[in-house]
Amino acid sequence: MSTETQIRDSIEQAATAVGDVWPLHSFVTANPLSGFEDQPFHEAVSEAEELFDADGYPSAEVFRRAWEAGQIAPDVLRAELADHGYDTDPETSLERMDAASTDTDDEQAVEDEVDRLLTKWLSSFLDQGQAEWPMPNREQGFYAAFHAVARHDGEIPDSGAIADLPDDPVDALEHLLADSPADRLPDVFEHHLTALPGWTGYVKQRAADGGDWQSAYPVTLAGYLAARLTLADLLGAPIDPLDAPGTTRTVDPVGETEDVPLRECWLTAWEASYREELVDAVSDASESHAEADEGGRPDAQLVFCIDTRSEILRRHLEATGDYDTHGYAGFFGVPMRYEGYDADVAVDACPPIVDAQHHVADRPTKGADDAQADYDRWSATLDAGGKLLAALKKNAATAFSFVETTGSGYGAALAARTLAPARAAGLLDAADDRTPDDHEFCAPGVDYNPDGVHELREGLTLDEKVEYAATAFDLMGWETFARLVVFTGHASETANNPFDSSLDCGACAGNPGGPSARVLAAICNDEAVVEELRERGFDVPEDTVFLAGEHNTTTDAVTLYADHVPESHHDDLEQLRTDLGTAREGAAAERAASMDAEGAGVRETERRAADWAETRPEWGLAGNAGFVVGPRDLTEGTDLDGRAFLHSYDWTTDPDGDALAAIMAGPMVVTQWINSQYYFATVDTAVFGSGSKVTHNPVGNVGVYQGNGGDLMTGLPLQSVMAADDDPHHQPLRLSTVIHAPVDRVTDVLADHEELTDLLDNGWLSLTVVDPTQDHRAFHYEGELAWTAVSEGPAVDAAEQTAPTVADD
């Protein structure tokens, strides 16, 4: 094997230790330890704690609070401790956890200087249009630009020596590692890649994903490492971690010989206590669901994203009338790259585990010329004003006169935004109301264009449209259609928040879900598509109209895109709008109470959305802990407190299990990523999150620093998961999935998807099945395709069971 191949293979191997990091404008929640998912959870956490100098479990104090609040069932905890050889007295085990120590070596000044200089060059190169004076030579790639320009950096000792390095980054690495044996390369690279996991994760994601910025200014992990090792060599920092200052950590008490850490036992017991209540609710409702008569046609059907925030609004809407609500991943099954009417770039509107297949752009519709002209004039005015304002503020000749002439106006605007944010937002909204929104004169171009000029195929063929619509109906088990069917995406609203995209739709890669809803509605309103669907057995009535909406998760307002709804349905539409308003009031009051603003309701949520000093406009998905796959009837009467993802599924309409397999391989994996992001950001906000928003410093339109430099922060800020510095609002629990289906069907899916059994067998999430064919009993997955009847004895080997029966003791 050539040295070049060894270097490239070693980089690829080492990079698995670092999770992908997406830019702020498209923040995707992901498991920061995704590269460790092939290991048992406690082993992965132990390794990550060493690599990143991090905490991977809740602290003893967090466990103590949960215990005292009654969130951990005593019998469950004592059984878990006993099973793993620990003293079963909870107080004793908490004291043992308190005795654990963390000792780190702080003699890393030289390596810190390497980090500081490298991040300076990374932020300059990776800037996405924010810098007034961009770094030279960026089009040649990161290492080439560094090689050409960094030799002039006076902060780098003997910087002129950079000119003597090879032009190719792999050749440079070979030169710098000449004294390192080949078997040390993976450890050397892992040491340097994990030193700045934020920047590394961003480079890794950008290089793998491609895109316009990567095409214009390419960066690779090899180039990143060549620059880092060059700086380390010139500064006299160790290149091989064996020569680096040591780090000693004692994560659990010295002398522990048990098979899993003590904190793993407490975490498992906490999760089991939460899961027991969720499973009991689904089991109890399962029998009632089986005995219920088929209802009539609902007033309307609304399909929401499976997002936990939708559960609150759905519950309040269902209380206002005869509405059926359903859960479906918020990209609505269409893997597209979406281009807004006046957008500079197209964005992928699908989960990161799905590749975009179609380019869909908003295009003006016929007969909407006046609205389009009004919009264009308003946009042009705002754009010109913004450019003029920027030029005046940055031009030395005009800066002082600009401040003198506009200072009073600026001061009044600042005072209004600070002292009366809701009123200021109302004035801005009133101004916006005088101009049309782009959706009023645009429609998504869903028809296939064989002459398209984009990388992806433009639009969709008839067969593809039918397939996406049929898949949606199959996954949700639809047999009845209301007069109005609303696909409801979601987006957030915030005045000043670098992490605003983390509050948008995760299934749309951190983008608003309205465009995806509009695309599926347009597909389902296509007469040719409807005819094909009827031939497939979907009895879509002649009077069914599909439309799109967007749920503002900060204020709980729902915007309906209903310009095409015929006059015959206007009464239905107005009633729906009225009931959505009523549901909003209830949901907003509930959200406001969760943010210690009880009684404020809609007014408080609107203030939070408009207040540019608000660090917590909403809680996002904080609190998420469960994922329920089954008919809405199973959870409709239960207040899940916005903690559960809800995906509609009817096992009776899915005899082959294809729809179930799609849900488990897609949304279940995505929700596990989201859950892991929130978990790790809670247990160590400084390492796996991004610390406090108060000290955030946005850099290059790609991420944030803490303070004025350092690593790119990778996860959720403190205000997204913590009620106070030491008081988590998000309960750090791994995801508990509950599926309503025959257990043998779930077993078949797992047997065909090794990646799912790996996640379950390694403890990254749990799975319980409520089996409607076995007296609605619950079975918990124990590993290796074996199940335990809940509260009824030992595991049952799937290979020995005779479907659809699971043997009793």
Side-chain angles (χ1 to χ4, degrees):
M1 182 185 296
S2 68
T3 303
E4 178 182 354
T5 302
Q6 288 179 326
I7 288 175
R8 293 190 183 279
D9 288 350
S10 297
I11 292 173
E12 184 176 350
Q13 177 183 341
T16 60
V18 181
D20 288 353
V21 176
W22 277 260
L24 278 180
H25 57 76
S26 187
F27 186 90
V28 175
T29 48
N31 182 4
L33 300 189
S34 58
F36 298 84
E37 289 178 344
D38 60 344
Q39 303 178 41
F41 183 83
H42 67 275
E43 293 179 9
V45 163
S46 178
E47 186 174 341
E49 287 178 332
E50 292 291 338
L51 276 175
F52 303 117
D53 191 21
D55 288 319
Y57 284 107
S59 66
E61 180 59 27
V62 170
F63 283 128
R64 187 185 303 277
R65 289 185 182 184
W67 170 253
E68 293 174 350
Q71 295 167 357
I72 305 175
D75 57 334
V76 174
L77 175 61
R78 291 190 173 94
E80 187 67 26
L81 292 172
D83 285 347
H84 294 285
Y86 289 101
D87 189 313
T88 58
D89 176 54
E91 188 58 39
T92 300
S93 67
L94 284 171
E95 292 173 359
R96 185 175 179 180
M97 275 191 279
D98 273 331
S101 63
T102 300
D103 300 316
T104 59
D105 193 328
D106 294 326
E107 299 176 6
Q108 298 193 27
V110 178
E111 291 200 39
D112 289 344
E113 183 65 5
V114 172
D115 291 345
R116 187 185 72 81
L117 290 172
L118 182 60
T119 56
K120 178 180 71 173
W121 287 102
L122 284 168
S123 61
S124 297
F125 178 86
L126 294 169
D127 170 72
Q128 293 189 358
Q130 192 175 60
E132 286 296 309
W133 290 353
M135 177 180 174
N137 303 98
R138 289 204 299 166
E139 68 282 352
Q140 298 176 20
F142 174 65
Y143 175 73
F146 173 84
H147 187 240
V149 183
R151 66 187 69 173
H152 305 293
D153 188 344
E155 292 188 295
I156 302 175
D158 194 21
S159 59
I162 296 176
D164 299 328
L165 288 172
D167 294 334
D168 183 81
V170 175
D171 293 340
L173 287 172
E174 183 177 351
H175 170 78
L176 292 162
L177 295 166
D179 296 331
S180 297
D183 61 355
R184 290 292 307 152
L185 293 183
D187 288 339
V188 170
F189 292 149
E190 184 180 75
H191 170 74
H192 288 281
L193 291 175
T194 56
L196 294 171
W199 283 113
T200 298
Y202 177 69
V203 170
K204 178 182 174 184
Q205 186 276 332
R206 177 162 147 168
D209 192 52
D212 294 337
W213 285 102
Q214 175 68 4
S215 297
Y217 310 117
V219 60
T220 64
L221 288 176
Y224 169 87
L225 284 167
R228 181 178 179 86
L229 268 61
T230 296
L231 292 173
D233 183 52
L234 293 175
L235 288 165
I239 288 180
D240 192 312
L242 291 179
D243 301 325
T247 299
T248 303
R249 294 178 57 83
T250 305
V251 177
D252 279 292
V254 176
E256 184 174 288
T257 59
E258 291 81 359
D259 56 346
V260 299
L262 181 57
R263 291 187 293 173
E264 173 78 14
C265 294
W266 273 79
L267 178 62
T268 300
W270 192 359
E271 292 161 346
S273 302
Y274 165 78
R275 183 172 59 246
E276 182 176 351
E277 294 183 9
L278 183 63
V279 170
D280 285 349
V282 174
S283 297
D284 292 344
S286 177
E287 187 170 359
S288 300
H289 170 73
E291 296 174 353
D293 294 330
E294 184 70 25
R297 198 177 186 192
D299 293 339
Q301 290 162 300
L302 294 96
V303 184
F304 290 86
C305 181
I306 64 175
D307 190 288
T308 58
R309 291 167 292 182
S310 300
E311 184 268 330
I312 299 173
L313 184 64
R314 290 173 63 180
R315 178 163 28 91
H316 285 278
L317 178 62
E318 290 162 348
T320 68
D322 186 13
Y323 292 109
D324 279 355
T325 73
H326 302 265
Y328 191 41
F331 74 116
F332 297 105
V334 184
M336 68 174 182
R337 183 168 296 162
Y338 169 71
E339 181 184 348
Y341 167 66
D342 54 357
D344 294 327
V345 296
V347 296
D348 284 356
C350 53
I353 63 172
V354 176
D355 293 328
Q357 301 293 322
H358 311 278
H359 186 106
V360 176
D362 265 350
R363 295 289 181 258
T365 56
K366 294 181 180 179
D369 295 346
D370 290 343
Q372 181 186 354
D374 288 345
Y375 180 91
D376 288 344
R377 278 194 298 271
W378 181 248
S379 296
T381 301
L382 291 178
D383 186 52
K387 290 179 179 178
L388 176 61
L389 187 63
L392 289 172
K393 288 192 294 183
K394 295 172 182 176
N395 188 317
T398 60
F400 291 103
S401 60
F402 169 78
V403 171
E404 288 182 359
T405 56
T406 64
S408 60
Y410 255 52
L414 293 178
R417 292 290 298 272
T418 304
L419 301 177
R423 184 171 179 80
L427 293 174
L428 292 173
D429 288 342
D432 287 343
D433 289 342
R434 291 196 293 268
T435 59
D437 293 322
D438 55 0
H439 67 79
E440 294 180 29
F441 61 86
C442 282
V446 297
D447 293 332
Y448 175 57
N449 177 14
D451 301 320
V453 296
H454 295 280
E455 175 188 358
L456 300 176
R457 291 181 297 112
E458 292 186 14
L460 302 85
T461 65
L462 175 60
D463 288 344
E464 288 168 336
K465 293 178 187 178
V466 173
E467 198 59 42
Y468 289 133
T471 297
F473 298 165
D474 277 333
L475 285 176
M476 293 183 287
W478 275 8
E479 294 181 325
T480 302
F481 295 84
R483 282 169 55 82
L484 290 180
V485 178
V486 187
F487 299 112
T488 315
H490 65 94
S492 65
E493 180 184 355
T494 180
N496 179 27
N497 181 10
F499 281 87
D500 56 352
S501 66
S502 71
L503 299 174
D504 284 338
C505 182
C508 301
N511 295 294
S516 295
R518 291 171 63 213
V519 166
L520 186 56
I523 288 172
C524 292
N525 280 322
D526 187 322
E527 293 183 4
V529 172
V530 173
E531 287 302 319
E532 292 282 347
L533 290 172
R534 288 172 181 148
E535 291 184 9
R536 290 195 180 197
F538 296 104
D539 188 16
V540 182
E542 294 287 345
D543 64 348
T544 292
V545 176
F546 297 90
L547 63 152
E550 189 169 81
H551 170 208
N552 181 328
T553 56
T554 312
T555 68
D556 278 308
V558 176
T559 300
L560 297 178
Y561 306 128
D563 296 336
H564 67 284
V565 174
E567 187 175 351
S568 58
H569 289 60
H570 280 189
D571 288 346
D572 304 80
L573 186 62
E574 287 309 307
Q575 184 62 54
L576 175 58
R577 284 196 169 114
T578 298
D579 292 338
L580 282 170
T582 302
R584 177 194 184 188
E585 293 175 359
E590 185 173 329
R591 288 193 201 279
S594 73
M595 294 182 285
D596 296 326
E598 191 167 359
V602 169
R603 183 177 180 181
E604 171 64 7
T605 59
E606 288 180 337
R607 183 201 66 77
R608 286 179 176 271
D611 189 347
W612 67 348
E614 178 58 64
T615 58
R616 186 183 295 116
E618 58 162 287
W619 273 119
L621 290 91
N624 75 84
F627 179 35
V628 180
V629 180
R632 173 58 172 158
D633 293 356
L634 303 181
T635 56
E636 187 174 2
T638 305
D639 181 355
L640 298 175
D641 196 27
R643 301 191 65 191
F645 301 94
L646 301 177
H647 201 303
S648 296
Y649 173 71
D650 186 344
W651 70 275
T652 64
T653 65
D654 182 36
D656 297 325
D658 293 339
L660 180 61
I663 295 171
M664 293 176 66
M668 189 175 81
V669 174
V670 173
T671 53
Q672 182 262 325
W673 271 29
I674 294 171
N675 171 265
S676 294
Q677 175 75 276
Y678 273 83
Y679 171 90
F680 285 109
T682 303
V683 299
D684 197 329
T685 310
V687 176
F688 297 120
S690 60
S692 174
K693 288 181 178 179
V694 176
T695 48
H696 278 175
N697 185 5
V699 54
N701 199 30
V702 298
V704 295
Y705 287 143
Q706 272 294 339
N708 64 352
D711 197 13
L712 204 63
M713 297 288 95
T714 63
L716 298 160
L718 178 148
Q719 287 81 2
S720 290
V721 293
M722 308 289 285
D725 286 355
D726 58 350
D727 181 15
H729 173 80
H730 175 75
Q731 294 180 19
L733 307 177
R734 290 167 294 191
L735 187 70
S736 295
T737 298
V738 181
I739 297 177
H740 183 256
V743 69
D744 62 294
R745 185 174 301 177
V746 179
T747 302
D748 290 342
V749 172
L750 294 177
D752 291 338
H753 292 79
E754 184 179 356
E755 72 280 7
L756 298 181
T757 56
D758 285 346
L759 284 173
L760 289 164
D761 290 347
N762 288 324
W764 291 90
L765 76 163
S766 67
L767 174 60
T768 307
V769 171
V770 174
D771 192 335
T773 68
Q774 298 195 61
D775 297 325
H776 311 282
R777 295 162 58 204
F779 300 89
H780 186 68
Y781 182 81
E782 294 293 345
E784 299 182 353
L785 301 183
W787 303 83
T788 293
V790 174
S791 303
E792 292 190 26
V796 178
D797 191 331
E800 297 177 358
Q801 68 185 42
T802 303
T805 302
V806 177
D808 291 328
D809 260 357

